[in-house]
Amino acid sequence: MIELRLHRRKTNFRWVFGQSLCLGMLRLIADGNRRWAREKGLSASAGHEAGVLLLRQLIELCCRWGIKVLTVFIFSCDNWSRSKVEINFMMSLFERLIFSESEVEKFSREDIRMSVIGDTSKLPKPLQGLINNAEETTKYNSGLQLILALN
Ligand SMILES: CC(C)=CCC/C(C)=C/CC/C(C)=C/COP(=O)(O)OP(=O)(O)O
């Protein structure tokens, strides 16, 4: 299994995907959203939003390259120490861009099975509901297994 910290400038995606294709699984740790935004003179929120869009592209690539299991660590316990505003923004991103019904429908059309690992009990209740719905809706899909590690 390949594990890397996802840093836009340092990651050789071609190499990573080549290796992962052989092994069928890839494990990523989201990192550097704020640094990337700062370098571009953007806000942390813009960095997180770009991070989620990058995640969507990675998922597409994994489907295309035939990777069977993609695990992404998108929120760690340490992240709770950030400001309330930033945490709320990250939670709203997860709700809107990953677990909303319309996004889950898209994942399902691509035959992606979604699962969440980690302690979800501290997440906002609406997000918990969306996660349950995503797991339930996609549980019989047999393409890419997308595992999102939260908290
Ligand atoms: C695959 C991918 C990129 C997904 C992004 C999903 C997302 C919005 C996660 C939010 C929390 C997080 C751990 C961001 C990582 O960058 P950071 O805020 O720790 O940035 P820093 O390392 O520059 O401080």
Side-chain angles (χ1 to χ4, degrees):
M1 183 181 308
I2 301 292
E3 179 176 324
L4 72 153
R5 294 179 79 81
L6 192 60
H7 192 287
R8 289 172 180 78
R9 279 191 314 188
K10 293 190 192 136
T11 306
N12 181 341
F13 289 106
R14 195 178 283 267
W15 180 84
V16 168
F17 280 102
Q19 295 295 310
S20 303
L21 190 60
C22 302
L23 299 164
M25 47 179 74
L26 175 63
R27 199 161 72 185
L28 302 170
I29 301 171
D31 191 24
N33 287 355
R34 292 182 300 184
R35 269 167 290 156
W36 177 86
R38 211 175 301 129
E39 281 168 19
K40 296 198 148 15
L42 300 170
S43 64
S45 304
H48 292 317
E49 189 134 11
V52 175
L53 297 178
L54 179 67
L55 174 63
R56 293 301 311 233
Q57 290 173 8
L58 283 169
I59 293 168
E60 245 183 76
L61 278 174
C62 285
C63 291
R64 209 179 311 150
W65 285 61
I67 288 168
K68 293 306 288 177
V69 186
L70 169 65
T71 306
V72 190
F73 293 79
I74 57 170
F75 191 88
S76 73
C77 301
D78 293 347
N79 294 143
W80 289 114
S81 62
R82 297 193 181 184
S83 76
K84 229 179 158 60
V85 172
E86 188 176 348
I87 292 172
N88 287 344
F89 185 78
M90 290 191 277
M91 296 298 146
S92 79
L93 271 187
F94 299 148
E95 286 184 22
R96 281 188 294 117
L97 298 182
I98 303 180
F99 295 106
S100 67
E101 282 184 19
S102 56
E103 290 305 310
V104 170
E105 244 171 59
K106 280 189 217 158
F107 284 126
S108 213
R109 275 202 298 273
E110 291 159 35
D111 205 22
I112 294 170
R113 178 177 172 190
M114 298 173 78
S115 347
V116 168
I117 53 171
D119 178 10
T120 55
S121 67
K122 289 198 189 79
L123 300 175
K125 287 273 178 275
L127 179 55
Q128 289 182 36
L130 290 174
I131 288 172
N132 291 339
N133 174 63
E135 290 182 325
E136 194 57 32
T137 307
T138 62
K139 69 181 176 190
Y140 296 119
N141 293 348
S142 57
L144 174 72
Q145 188 180 358
L146 172 63
I147 303 173
L148 296 164
L150 271 161
N151 198 23

